Structure formats: C-alpha cells, structure tokens
Amino acid sequence: MGAERTDLYFPLLKEKRVVVMSNQTGMVGKEHLVDMLIREGHNVVAIFSPEHGFRGTADAGEHVASSIDEKTGIPIWSLYGSGGGKPSAENMQKFDVLLFDLQDVGLRFYTYYASMARLMDACSEHGKKMIVLDRPNPNGMYVDGPILDMKHKSGVGWLPIPVVHGMTLGELAVMINGEKWLPDGRQCDLTVIPIDNYSHSTLYELPISPSPNLPNIHSIYLYPSTCLFEGTVMSLGRGTSFPFEVYGHPDYKGSDFTFTPRSVPGAKNPPLLDKLCYGVDLRNIPNEEIIEKGFDLTYVIDAYNNLDIGDKFFTSFFEKLVGVDYIRQDIKAGKTADEIKAKWSEDVEMFKIQRKPYLLYEE
C-alpha cells in the first residue's frame, strides 16, 4: 500500500504540520496510519473525517460532528455535513501538508473521491501540498456505465466519469489535475505514493470494511448495480446482515425469500423499516459472474416490472445515481438491460482513452 512505503513520503513530512484524511481503513500493517505517524515523531495537528466518520461507524449521509480522537487526543475536523464538504479557511492555515489515505471501492456514487476532489481544491486555493497514499480499487478491473451528465452533479456524482471508473484514487487525483476538473481550472500541488506490485487486473479483497453497509467483497462487487435501488421504493437490504446483496419490497410478487429491515448500527432508519419484504437473494451469484456482467440493470428492471407501479417506482435520487436521463425512460419503455447498456458503450470507450495518460498501473 502507499501508506506502507514510508521511505517515499516521510521526507515530505519533515518539520511540517501534517493533517491526515483517513478512516478505519487507513491501516499500515497492524497499526493505524495516525498512530504510526505519531510513533515515528511526525507532527500530526488534526484529522479530517469523511462520511461514516474517522472510525467508520456513522450511517450514510449522517451528520458527523467534529470531535477529539479519544486514542490520540488529536482534534477531528469533520468534512461531512459541513458546508460544501470543504475545510474552513481558518483550519487550512493550521497545517502545511495534507496526507490522504482512504480505501475506495471505485464507484462514482461512493463519496470518498468527491471528498478528495474538494480537499485538492482547498489545498490549491490555500497553497498547501497534498499527498495521496494510494490503495487498490476492488472494482478496478473494468470500466462501465454512462458518464455523468453534469446537470445531475451532486454529492453522489461529482465528476464527469462513468459509474464504474476502474481507477484508484491516486490515478483519479492525477486525472483531476490533468483534466483541470477543479473550479476555475485550479491545480493542486499533488504527490501520489503508488501501490507496489499492483495492476488493474489484480483481484483485491479488502481486509477492513470500507463502510458499515459494505461488509464483504461480494457486496462490493454487487454494489454498482444494487445501489440503484437507493433511487427507488425498494429495499436493498440496509438494516439486515446482507446489505446490497438482496432486494425486496412488501409488494414484490412470486418470491418466497423474505427479509425485514431493522434499525441497526450503520443503518439506524433504513428504507421499509420493520416491514416484511419479499424479494430476491443475490448472495449465491459467483463473484466472477458479477464482475463479468459489470454495471447490470437487470435487477432494477426485474423489480420495476414486478411492482408494476410505473413512475412511482423511482425517486428523484435515481438520476443522481445513474447520472443520465435516458435510463429511467428506457426502463419504462420496456428496453432490456443489454439494449440500454449499448447506449453507454461509447462513453466507456471514450473514457478509457481519456484516462489513459493518468494510469499509474498496468491494465
């Protein structure tokens, strides 16, 4: 991991005030990055925390308050739930170097890359250096889905990239600079510490869950496709022990598989709370099959046809997730998953060419 290659970035931290953006995934061997930096005598002045908080226990979208890390006594500055997710100008004056180390899962609607882009912007505005300690992308072996139509830009869709972009956060950071995607064409003073001995075809199983509702690699592989249920009336299993691996609804017909979402840590108020849902269990689909199908609309199409309630099936959040208008329209028009997928194949090829100069690892 980038974080383990201390010889490459310790010299850049010498005599500097360091702020760390990380969470529970920022491990260096058996030790957390923050604890390791302090043990090695570096001057860590604060910690930024992303969605789900520094120790990774908060619900999706829950307000994460600024606090003190009990273990180290270092102040934690929450970026999530603060105005625009950018640090205050006052806090930006309190450090020299920002060390960024988060385990991503490679999806346009997973919020960590947007936090990274906003921090890059803050660093460029205030003349601060940013170092990204790179980690593998578990969905890094393919690119799929439409490129975001920027009229749907939101916290779950920040850059003009496909749903599955197939890049590490380090590569994406280099691309953000190179494509001048920061406001007003600003560029960040950026160093990426690359992963050793990694390629995009490397299958990487995360040693630590990146957020409360992605408990295992199977859920991470299904996540590009089942996350779309967040923009519908369905449950995707939040509030169960198998989030993102099932889908269901009280009115789903013809199924004997059931589950009931409950209030649990990481999903305090899940959709369809305490309601018996009938639906589909995806836990037995082999990983290889999920990867091969990529960004797969068949589950959403099945649920849409089964419930048979027309446009009431979708919420306005659906377009924020898929990033384009035509997917809802095509599902309502009865098009198949393959027919709709053909529409974004050009997006995928275009993006692969566009991202090529920024790749740090072999495809």
Side-chain angles (χ1 to χ4, degrees):
M1 302 298 130
E4 293 167 331
R5 305 182 74 186
T6 53
D7 54 316
L8 296 182
Y9 67 94
F10 273 11
L12 304 173
L13 307 180
K14 222 176 156 147
E15 317 277 287
K16 298 280 196 286
R17 298 170 300 165
V18 180
V19 65
V20 175
M21 167 64 152
S22 192
N23 63 5
Q24 76 285 357
T25 62
M27 299 299 287
V28 188
K30 295 258 184 285
E31 193 175 19
H32 194 278
L33 174 67
V34 169
D35 302 328
M36 186 269 288
L37 290 170
I38 290 166
R39 182 174 55 73
E40 292 282 352
H42 294 286
N43 180 19
V44 181
V45 294
I47 298 162
F48 281 128
S49 76
E51 184 178 16
H52 309 298
F54 178 55
R55 300 289 176 190
T57 51
D59 280 18
E62 184 181 3
H63 183 90
V64 178
S66 296
S67 58
I68 298 277
D69 181 42
E70 286 176 16
K71 189 170 178 189
T72 59
I74 294 172
I76 297 175
W77 301 335
S78 173
L79 289 173
Y80 206 78
S82 66
K86 268 168 77 173
S88 67
E90 186 194 351
N91 281 348
M92 290 300 296
Q93 300 314 316
K94 295 177 183 171
F95 70 90
D96 308 304
V97 180
L98 194 159
L99 205 50
F100 183 99
D101 184 19
L102 284 176
Q103 176 60 62
D104 192 49
V105 296
L107 283 308
R108 190 181 66 220
F109 34 63
Y110 201 64
T111 60
Y112 295 167
Y113 79 93
S115 298
M116 179 180 75
R118 290 192 287 260
L119 286 172
M120 286 175 69
D121 191 35
C123 286
S124 71
E125 281 182 296
H126 293 276
K128 305 293 179 179
K129 181 164 191 63
M130 182 152 157
I131 301 170
V132 174
L133 304 177
D134 214 6
R135 289 183 180 267
N137 173 1
N139 284 308
M141 67 296 271
Y142 68 100
V143 176
D144 204 359
I147 289 174
L148 177 70
D149 177 339
M150 290 302 274
K151 76 175 189 188
H152 293 303
K153 182 179 174 175
S154 74
V156 292
W158 200 254
L159 297 174
I161 57 179
V163 173
V164 187
H165 53 74
M167 300 171 80
T168 66
L169 286 182
E171 290 174 320
L172 204 47
V174 177
M175 187 170 188
I176 288 168
N177 255 356
E179 294 294 312
K180 296 197 164 64
W181 279 341
L182 297 179
D184 305 320
R186 281 193 286 272
Q187 288 182 301
C188 169
D189 177 2
L190 174 75
T191 298
V192 176
I193 307 298
I195 310 149
D196 200 16
N197 198 23
Y198 172 71
S199 81
H200 284 271
S201 54
T202 307
L203 291 184
Y204 176 67
E205 291 217 17
L206 278 55
I208 294 169
S209 162
S211 52
N213 287 290
L214 290 173
N216 55 46
I217 194 69
H218 196 256
S219 65
I220 288 166
Y221 288 151
L222 279 168
Y223 178 54
S225 307
T226 55
C227 187
L228 300 187
F229 286 117
E230 308 261 37
T232 72
V233 297
M234 305 290 289
S235 163
L236 48 74
R238 283 187 189 274
T240 72
S241 59
F242 34 80
F244 292 98
E245 296 185 277
V246 298
Y247 60 93
H249 187 275
D251 299 334
Y252 189 93
K253 298 173 284 292
S255 166
D256 51 12
F257 171 68
T258 63
F259 61 90
T260 306
R262 303 285 187 203
S263 181
V264 297
K268 294 188 182 72
N269 190 22
L272 303 174
L273 176 65
D274 294 335
K275 292 193 163 68
L276 178 68
C277 293
Y278 297 87
V280 179
D281 185 354
L282 306 171
R283 283 173 290 176
N284 293 325
I285 302 179
N287 288 342
E288 304 72 46
E289 196 179 306
I290 301 168
I291 293 166
E292 197 182 325
K293 289 193 170 153
F295 180 50
D296 186 359
L297 296 176
T298 53
Y299 312 131
V300 168
I301 291 171
D302 164 66
Y304 172 83
N305 291 335
N306 187 293
L307 255 55
D308 199 18
I309 52 173
D311 208 43
K312 289 195 187 73
F313 177 79
F314 300 98
T315 70
S316 58
F317 196 55
F318 188 76
E319 275 68 33
K320 289 189 166 60
L321 293 170
V322 292
V324 290
D325 291 326
Y326 65 77
I327 291 182
R328 180 196 299 223
Q329 271 37 68
D330 284 355
I331 290 173
K332 283 160 59 181
K335 293 209 159 90
T336 66
D338 285 343
E339 285 173 316
I340 304 171
K341 200 183 191 86
K343 283 195 173 178
W344 69 65
S345 62
E346 206 172 295
D347 281 6
V348 169
E349 291 318 308
M350 232 166 55
F351 182 74
K352 281 182 174 171
I353 294 164
Q354 186 187 11
R355 73 174 192 160
K356 205 166 184 57
Y358 309 112
L359 295 184
L360 304 171
Y361 314 100
E362 277 180 40
E363 288 184 79

